[in-house]
Amino acid sequence: MKPAAFSYHRPSSVDEALELLARFGAEAKIIAGGQSLVPMMNMRLASPAHLVDLNDLSELAQLRVCADRLEVGALARHHTLAESPLAAEHCPLLGQAARTIGHGAIRERGTVGGSLAHADPAAQHALVAITLGARLTLARKGAHRVVEADAFLLSAMTTALQPDEMVLSVSYPRASAGEVSAYRMFNQRHGDYAIVAVAATLALQDGRVGTLRLGVGGVGPVPQRLDAVAQSCRGRVASVDWVAEVARAARDAVTPEDQPRVPALYRKELTETLVARALARCLERSGVPA
Ligand code: FAD
């Protein structure tokens, strides 16, 4: 299938891109990696009259450390994040998750900004952003605003972006000394979106749980951060028994909907299994014997 006719714009600066968005409003769509938008246009699920292509804006593809955060430009590709030494050092969960997105060709083109704007409930970037408490910098002509990930991702395929706004960058808290992380997912075929995915970061203090962050994707319209489960772990001895207990608590904390081919119970069981695997990996990375 082919898309409906559109006008193509390739701005050479962010200001020019924002000018185009201000001029065309809801008639325009940004194109970044094109990995979600182009299939939607080909299926006529999206028919923008104007496409604003960000691919010449190399300043939007940079990663840099700013104080206690890692700032990632919206145009940073999944592949870049998977391979970046800066991401590996300051926000390893980002690379661990990006490495599992789709297939190689998709990772070469797809971008973090495009993934968050697309807002698939099972997307890796949405889960990482919610789990870590990422902040998005959004811009429109003459104005910027910063939005927390959980205020940006409103529902499945729905965000707080206005038609004349774009994502400029996403910032993530830098991992603290000794903090480890793990991402685990289950899908039916290699390259598919996850049915359920789990992201975790863990910092131990003298063998006890200091800070735990735990997020689950695929169990609701947006990924869910299991703060109550995580808080209840503070001070506990990190052990195999503890892992099993947290996994059961996570299973009880999620409330997925029944779907014709994926019953809610199946997603709850996947949540328990994947939380156990993610935490076991965190313990291994922390040097705790399993
Ligand atoms: P585009 O397709 O260019 O745009 C997507 C949407 O975001 C559009 O609405 C566009 O207007 C908007 N947009 C893009 N950039 C910005 C910006 N800076 N500011 C505001 N709006 C913007 N994703 C996963 O997470 N996990 C998977 O397992 C996975 N598997 C896939 C398998 C296949 C076969 C395919 C085709 C895709 C898969 N994807 C998967 C999607 C992939 O990650 C896309 O790259 C991503 O969803 C969109 O990123 P993009 O840069 O390609 O955005």
Side-chain angles (χ1 to χ4, degrees):
M1 289 181 65
K2 292 199 164 44
F6 57 85
S7 303
Y8 177 76
H9 308 266
R10 197 162 173 121
S12 53
S13 69
V14 170
D15 283 348
E16 196 187 332
L18 296 177
E19 181 67 48
L20 289 163
L21 293 177
R23 193 185 327 156
F24 299 124
E27 299 269 275
K29 272 256 170 227
I30 286 170
I31 184 162
Q35 300 303 300
S36 296
L37 183 59
V38 170
M40 288 177 72
M41 289 174 66
N42 286 345
M43 288 185 280
R44 307 277 173 122
L45 295 171
S47 303
H50 298 273
L51 269 195
V52 178
D53 188 339
L54 302 185
N55 280 283
D56 279 349
L57 308 183
S58 54
E59 69 267 39
L60 292 186
Q62 309 301 318
L63 277 70
R64 61 190 183 126
V65 173
C66 299
D68 59 348
R69 299 186 78 87
L70 176 71
E71 191 176 292
V72 176
L75 207 58
R77 315 277 171 191
H78 309 323
H79 169 74
T80 304
L81 295 170
E83 300 299 322
S84 158
L86 210 59
E89 181 180 350
H90 298 289
C91 190
L93 181 62
L94 197 51
Q96 289 157 7
R99 227 163 277 144
T100 68
I101 296 176
H103 306 276
I106 289 151
R107 292 193 293 277
E108 285 288 337
R109 296 302 303 163
T111 66
V112 61
S115 178
L116 289 169
H118 187 62
D120 190 290
Q124 279 82 343
H125 282 299
L127 175 56
V128 170
I130 292 275
T131 304
L132 293 182
R135 292 182 195 138
L136 291 89
T137 300
L138 312 182
R140 59 152 50 107
K141 190 182 167 188
H144 283 59
R145 63 181 175 129
V146 177
V147 182
E148 299 285 335
D150 57 4
F152 178 80
L153 295 163
L154 298 178
S155 186
M157 326 306 273
T158 308
T159 71
L161 265 179
Q162 297 301 309
D164 61 347
E165 272 185 321
M166 64 186 273
V167 181
L168 278 189
S169 63
V170 191
S171 85
Y172 303 85
R174 286 168 62 196
S176 58
E179 183 181 291
V180 297
S181 56
Y183 174 88
R184 287 291 180 268
M185 62 181 276
F186 181 81
N187 55 7
Q188 269 176 323
R189 287 179 313 188
H190 173 69
D192 281 0
Y193 278 96
I195 297 176
V196 173
V198 166
T201 73
L202 176 67
L204 297 181
Q205 284 161 1
D206 301 324
R208 292 180 180 270
V209 177
T211 309
L212 171 68
R213 285 180 288 202
L214 198 54
V216 189
V219 292
V222 290
Q224 191 178 339
R225 214 169 114 138
L226 304 184
D227 282 341
V229 174
Q231 306 276 315
S232 68
C233 296
R234 201 170 261 278
R236 295 285 310 278
V237 173
S239 64
V240 174
D241 289 346
W242 168 74
V243 166
E245 203 182 306
V246 180
R248 276 194 302 274
R251 171 201 173 108
D252 292 343
V254 298
T255 52
E257 281 184 4
D258 262 324
Q259 286 174 347
R261 294 170 58 146
V262 189
L265 182 61
Y266 184 63
R267 286 188 207 264
K268 282 173 90 67
E269 291 192 351
L270 275 179
T271 301
E272 181 172 352
T273 301
L274 294 171
V275 167
R277 287 182 186 171
L279 292 182
R281 188 74 176 113
C282 284
L283 290 192
E284 195 183 320
R285 286 186 165 137
S286 301
V288 175

